[in-house]
Amino acid sequence: DQQVKQNSPSLSVQEGRISILNCDYTNSMFDYFLWYKKYPAEGPTFLISISSIKDKNEDGRFTVFLNKSAKHLSLHIVPSQPGDSAVYFCAASAAQKLVFGQGTRLTINP
Amino acid sequence: EAQVTQNPRYLITVTGKKLTVTCSQNMNHEYMSWYRQDPGLGLRQIYYSMNVEVTDKGDVPEGYKVSRKEKRNFPLILESPSPNQTSLYFCASSFYGGGPYEQYFGPGTRLTVT
């Protein structure tokens, strides 16, 4: 039972345009949501997070939106840069556990 | 430099031969955790620890053991590895501020069990 789902395995975006990565969840007990970025041969690195009591959090080029009624969150990257090419994981936290989605591979084309 | 280290980075072993993957962090973090990454499944939590001598099961604990005798170290033990434990393993740590937020991950250990 996949509690956190990223339905798009891959996404290709032109450099300078907006990248939108999506994530759906099923457990309404999740109280924190996070996005991690992963380059090949490295561990994931934290990108941005949002509390379940908020609907938006912004950090530079990265914005995360949370729609609790739809149990959906999204990560917007604007403008997209070649260095953003990586695998992005969304994750959700409940109690002491962190549940990850399957990941979306983002490719930024020059 | 603040970091999480894992050893070994690569390991090929045979079914049933006990192995240990070490994990160490130098950030004085209370919370440590192990994950495995498999294609199409993302990262799944194996075990976590909220402090010394306090450990608990994650979503996929079967076939694994952990111990937390020191704050900085959190080894993952496979007593009798099987081929379905072939995977990419990550150790992570964070401050214990009410949840496993903003975890710092190690570089990963790729394990192959034949």
PDB file of all heavy atoms in Angstrom, chain B residues 4 12 19 23-24 28-29 34 41 45 48 51 59 75 84 86 89 99-100 108:
ATOM      1  N   VAL B   4      27.429  12.301   7.049  1.00  0.00           N
ATOM      2  CA  VAL B   4      27.053  10.938   7.407  1.00  0.00           C
ATOM      3  C   VAL B   4      27.902  10.017   6.529  1.00  0.00           C
ATOM      4  O   VAL B   4      27.899  10.173   5.305  1.00  0.00           O
ATOM      5  CB  VAL B   4      25.562  10.681   7.158  1.00  0.00           C
ATOM      6  CG1 VAL B   4      25.203   9.236   7.501  1.00  0.00           C
ATOM      7  CG2 VAL B   4      24.706  11.648   7.972  1.00  0.00           C
ATOM      8  N   ILE B  12      29.473  -7.149  -2.425  1.00  0.00           N
ATOM      9  CA  ILE B  12      28.899  -8.333  -3.052  1.00  0.00           C
ATOM     10  C   ILE B  12      29.135  -9.488  -2.104  1.00  0.00           C
ATOM     11  O   ILE B  12      30.272  -9.735  -1.701  1.00  0.00           O
ATOM     12  CB  ILE B  12      29.530  -8.614  -4.429  1.00  0.00           C
ATOM     13  CG1 ILE B  12      29.318  -7.417  -5.365  1.00  0.00           C
ATOM     14  CG2 ILE B  12      28.928  -9.876  -5.044  1.00  0.00           C
ATOM     15  CD1 ILE B  12      30.031  -7.543  -6.693  1.00  0.00           C
ATOM     16  N   LEU B  19      26.584  -9.971   7.496  1.00  0.00           N
ATOM     17  CA  LEU B  19      27.333  -8.764   7.173  1.00  0.00           C
ATOM     18  C   LEU B  19      26.810  -7.592   7.989  1.00  0.00           C
ATOM     19  O   LEU B  19      25.667  -7.598   8.470  1.00  0.00           O
ATOM     20  CB  LEU B  19      27.250  -8.465   5.678  1.00  0.00           C
ATOM     21  CG  LEU B  19      25.895  -8.096   5.104  1.00  0.00           C
ATOM     22  CD1 LEU B  19      25.686  -6.583   5.102  1.00  0.00           C
ATOM     23  CD2 LEU B  19      25.763  -8.626   3.689  1.00  0.00           C
ATOM     24  N   CYS B  23      27.377   2.948   9.866  1.00  0.00           N
ATOM     25  CA  CYS B  23      26.911   4.311   9.622  1.00  0.00           C
ATOM     26  C   CYS B  23      27.372   5.167  10.787  1.00  0.00           C
ATOM     27  O   CYS B  23      27.196   4.791  11.957  1.00  0.00           O
ATOM     28  CB  CYS B  23      25.398   4.349   9.504  1.00  0.00           C
ATOM     29  SG  CYS B  23      24.726   6.033   9.427  1.00  0.00           S
ATOM     30  N   SER B  24      27.944   6.321  10.465  1.00  0.00           N
ATOM     31  CA  SER B  24      28.414   7.220  11.503  1.00  0.00           C
ATOM     32  C   SER B  24      28.117   8.657  11.110  1.00  0.00           C
ATOM     33  O   SER B  24      28.238   9.017   9.943  1.00  0.00           O
ATOM     34  CB  SER B  24      29.917   7.030  11.690  1.00  0.00           C
ATOM     35  OG  SER B  24      30.400   7.835  12.739  1.00  0.00           O
ATOM     36  N   ASN B  28      26.128  15.201  16.008  1.00  0.00           N
ATOM     37  CA  ASN B  28      25.491  15.055  17.325  1.00  0.00           C
ATOM     38  C   ASN B  28      23.967  14.904  17.205  1.00  0.00           C
ATOM     39  O   ASN B  28      23.216  15.344  18.084  1.00  0.00           O
ATOM     40  CB  ASN B  28      25.826  16.233  18.248  1.00  0.00           C
ATOM     41  CG  ASN B  28      25.651  15.885  19.715  1.00  0.00           C
ATOM     42  OD1 ASN B  28      25.870  14.739  20.130  1.00  0.00           O
ATOM     43  ND2 ASN B  28      25.226  16.860  20.500  1.00  0.00           N
ATOM     44  N   HIS B  29      23.527  14.278  16.117  1.00  0.00           N
ATOM     45  CA  HIS B  29      22.098  14.069  15.896  1.00  0.00           C
ATOM     46  C   HIS B  29      21.564  12.955  16.783  1.00  0.00           C
ATOM     47  O   HIS B  29      22.210  11.926  16.970  1.00  0.00           O
ATOM     48  CB  HIS B  29      21.835  13.713  14.427  1.00  0.00           C
ATOM     49  CG  HIS B  29      21.953  14.876  13.508  1.00  0.00           C
ATOM     50  ND1 HIS B  29      22.099  14.733  12.140  1.00  0.00           N
ATOM     51  CD2 HIS B  29      21.932  16.210  13.735  1.00  0.00           C
ATOM     52  CE1 HIS B  29      22.153  15.916  11.578  1.00  0.00           C
ATOM     53  NE2 HIS B  29      22.061  16.833  12.527  1.00  0.00           N
ATOM     54  N   TRP B  34      17.673   3.959   8.775  1.00  0.00           N
ATOM     55  CA  TRP B  34      18.141   3.228   7.604  1.00  0.00           C
ATOM     56  C   TRP B  34      17.001   3.089   6.604  1.00  0.00           C
ATOM     57  O   TRP B  34      15.849   2.814   6.988  1.00  0.00           O
ATOM     58  CB  TRP B  34      18.625   1.827   7.983  1.00  0.00           C
ATOM     59  CG  TRP B  34      20.034   1.785   8.465  1.00  0.00           C
ATOM     60  CD1 TRP B  34      20.477   1.706   9.743  1.00  0.00           C
ATOM     61  CD2 TRP B  34      21.201   1.826   7.646  1.00  0.00           C
ATOM     62  NE1 TRP B  34      21.841   1.707   9.787  1.00  0.00           N
ATOM     63  CE2 TRP B  34      22.321   1.765   8.503  1.00  0.00           C
ATOM     64  CE3 TRP B  34      21.434   1.900   6.262  1.00  0.00           C
ATOM     65  CZ2 TRP B  34      23.636   1.779   8.046  1.00  0.00           C
ATOM     66  CZ3 TRP B  34      22.734   1.920   5.809  1.00  0.00           C
ATOM     67  CH2 TRP B  34      23.826   1.848   6.693  1.00  0.00           C
ATOM     68  N   LEU B  41       9.976   1.791  -6.210  1.00  0.00           N
ATOM     69  CA  LEU B  41       9.450   1.780  -4.839  1.00  0.00           C
ATOM     70  C   LEU B  41       9.933   2.952  -4.006  1.00  0.00           C
ATOM     71  O   LEU B  41       9.502   3.128  -2.866  1.00  0.00           O
ATOM     72  CB  LEU B  41       9.825   0.476  -4.137  1.00  0.00           C
ATOM     73  CG  LEU B  41       9.238  -0.795  -4.749  1.00  0.00           C
ATOM     74  CD1 LEU B  41       9.770  -2.031  -4.026  1.00  0.00           C
ATOM     75  CD2 LEU B  41       7.712  -0.780  -4.697  1.00  0.00           C
ATOM     76  N   GLN B  45      11.701   2.849   4.727  1.00  0.00           N
ATOM     77  CA  GLN B  45      12.396   2.888   6.003  1.00  0.00           C
ATOM     78  C   GLN B  45      12.498   1.492   6.607  1.00  0.00           C
ATOM     79  O   GLN B  45      11.507   0.777   6.709  1.00  0.00           O
ATOM     80  CB  GLN B  45      11.674   3.836   6.957  1.00  0.00           C
ATOM     81  CG  GLN B  45      12.466   4.189   8.193  1.00  0.00           C
ATOM     82  CD  GLN B  45      11.791   5.297   8.991  1.00  0.00           C
ATOM     83  OE1 GLN B  45      10.571   5.340   9.120  1.00  0.00           O
ATOM     84  NE2 GLN B  45      12.581   6.207   9.527  1.00  0.00           N
ATOM     85  N   TYR B  48      14.637   2.791  12.626  1.00  0.00           N
ATOM     86  CA  TYR B  48      15.054   4.110  13.047  1.00  0.00           C
ATOM     87  C   TYR B  48      15.370   4.098  14.541  1.00  0.00           C
ATOM     88  O   TYR B  48      14.989   3.171  15.263  1.00  0.00           O
ATOM     89  CB  TYR B  48      14.008   5.179  12.710  1.00  0.00           C
ATOM     90  CG  TYR B  48      12.680   5.011  13.394  1.00  0.00           C
ATOM     91  CD1 TYR B  48      12.399   5.645  14.604  1.00  0.00           C
ATOM     92  CD2 TYR B  48      11.671   4.240  12.803  1.00  0.00           C
ATOM     93  CE1 TYR B  48      11.176   5.505  15.219  1.00  0.00           C
ATOM     94  CE2 TYR B  48      10.441   4.090  13.418  1.00  0.00           C
ATOM     95  CZ  TYR B  48      10.186   4.730  14.618  1.00  0.00           C
ATOM     96  OH  TYR B  48       8.967   4.581  15.232  1.00  0.00           O
ATOM     97  N   ASN B  51      17.317   7.772  19.853  1.00  0.00           N
ATOM     98  CA  ASN B  51      18.461   8.104  20.696  1.00  0.00           C
ATOM     99  C   ASN B  51      19.169   6.812  21.067  1.00  0.00           C
ATOM    100  O   ASN B  51      18.759   5.720  20.648  1.00  0.00           O
ATOM    101  CB  ASN B  51      18.027   8.866  21.945  1.00  0.00           C
ATOM    102  CG  ASN B  51      19.037   9.923  22.370  1.00  0.00           C
ATOM    103  OD1 ASN B  51      20.258   9.692  22.265  1.00  0.00           O
ATOM    104  ND2 ASN B  51      18.565  11.053  22.839  1.00  0.00           N
ATOM    105  N   ASP B  59       9.093   0.425   7.971  1.00  0.00           N
ATOM    106  CA  ASP B  59       8.105  -0.283   7.154  1.00  0.00           C
ATOM    107  C   ASP B  59       8.575  -1.651   6.660  1.00  0.00           C
ATOM    108  O   ASP B  59       7.758  -2.508   6.374  1.00  0.00           O
ATOM    109  CB  ASP B  59       7.724   0.580   5.949  1.00  0.00           C
ATOM    110  CG  ASP B  59       6.946   1.821   6.367  1.00  0.00           C
ATOM    111  OD1 ASP B  59       6.147   1.705   7.318  1.00  0.00           O
ATOM    112  OD2 ASP B  59       7.149   2.887   5.760  1.00  0.00           O
ATOM    113  N   PRO B  75      24.808   0.916  13.155  1.00  0.00           N
ATOM    114  CA  PRO B  75      25.081  -0.139  12.182  1.00  0.00           C
ATOM    115  C   PRO B  75      23.841  -0.932  11.792  1.00  0.00           C
ATOM    116  O   PRO B  75      22.935  -1.140  12.615  1.00  0.00           O
ATOM    117  CB  PRO B  75      26.095  -1.029  12.901  1.00  0.00           C
ATOM    118  CG  PRO B  75      25.827  -0.796  14.355  1.00  0.00           C
ATOM    119  CD  PRO B  75      25.383   0.622  14.480  1.00  0.00           C
ATOM    120  N   ASN B  84      16.773 -11.176  -2.057  1.00  0.00           N
ATOM    121  CA  ASN B  84      15.796 -10.080  -2.078  1.00  0.00           C
ATOM    122  C   ASN B  84      16.225  -8.882  -1.223  1.00  0.00           C
ATOM    123  O   ASN B  84      15.524  -7.860  -1.157  1.00  0.00           O
ATOM    124  CB  ASN B  84      14.396 -10.571  -1.665  1.00  0.00           C
ATOM    125  CG  ASN B  84      14.332 -11.050  -0.232  1.00  0.00           C
ATOM    126  OD1 ASN B  84      15.259 -10.832   0.552  1.00  0.00           O
ATOM    127  ND2 ASN B  84      13.239 -11.685   0.132  1.00  0.00           N
ATOM    128  N   THR B  86      19.137  -7.539  -1.953  1.00  0.00           N
ATOM    129  CA  THR B  86      19.954  -6.787  -2.905  1.00  0.00           C
ATOM    130  C   THR B  86      19.283  -5.443  -3.120  1.00  0.00           C
ATOM    131  O   THR B  86      18.123  -5.376  -3.535  1.00  0.00           O
ATOM    132  CB  THR B  86      20.064  -7.553  -4.238  1.00  0.00           C
ATOM    133  OG1 THR B  86      20.841  -8.733  -4.027  1.00  0.00           O
ATOM    134  CG2 THR B  86      20.729  -6.680  -5.306  1.00  0.00           C
ATOM    135  N   TYR B  89      21.288   0.974  -0.048  1.00  0.00           N
ATOM    136  CA  TYR B  89      20.944   1.312   1.325  1.00  0.00           C
ATOM    137  C   TYR B  89      21.490   2.685   1.702  1.00  0.00           C
ATOM    138  O   TYR B  89      22.626   3.038   1.387  1.00  0.00           O
ATOM    139  CB  TYR B  89      21.531   0.260   2.290  1.00  0.00           C
ATOM    140  CG  TYR B  89      20.860  -1.077   2.170  1.00  0.00           C
ATOM    141  CD1 TYR B  89      21.290  -2.010   1.227  1.00  0.00           C
ATOM    142  CD2 TYR B  89      19.782  -1.417   2.985  1.00  0.00           C
ATOM    143  CE1 TYR B  89      20.658  -3.238   1.102  1.00  0.00           C
ATOM    144  CE2 TYR B  89      19.144  -2.643   2.871  1.00  0.00           C
ATOM    145  CZ  TYR B  89      19.588  -3.548   1.926  1.00  0.00           C
ATOM    146  OH  TYR B  89      18.963  -4.754   1.797  1.00  0.00           O
ATOM    147  N   GLY B  99      10.193  14.994  14.993  1.00  0.00           N
ATOM    148  CA  GLY B  99       9.933  14.153  13.830  1.00  0.00           C
ATOM    149  C   GLY B  99      11.174  13.993  12.994  1.00  0.00           C
ATOM    150  O   GLY B  99      12.182  14.648  13.220  1.00  0.00           O
ATOM    151  N   PRO B 100      11.136  13.129  12.026  1.00  0.00           N
ATOM    152  CA  PRO B 100      12.308  12.864  11.171  1.00  0.00           C
ATOM    153  C   PRO B 100      12.436  13.915  10.078  1.00  0.00           C
ATOM    154  O   PRO B 100      12.435  13.610   8.902  1.00  0.00           O
ATOM    155  CB  PRO B 100      11.992  11.483  10.593  1.00  0.00           C
ATOM    156  CG  PRO B 100      10.513  11.477  10.484  1.00  0.00           C
ATOM    157  CD  PRO B 100      10.004  12.285  11.673  1.00  0.00           C
ATOM    158  N   GLY B 108      25.293   6.188   0.503  1.00  0.00           N
ATOM    159  CA  GLY B 108      24.675   4.941   0.050  1.00  0.00           C
ATOM    160  C   GLY B 108      25.647   3.767   0.032  1.00  0.00           C
ATOM    161  O   GLY B 108      26.854   3.930  -0.133  1.00  0.00           O
TER     162      GLY B 108
END
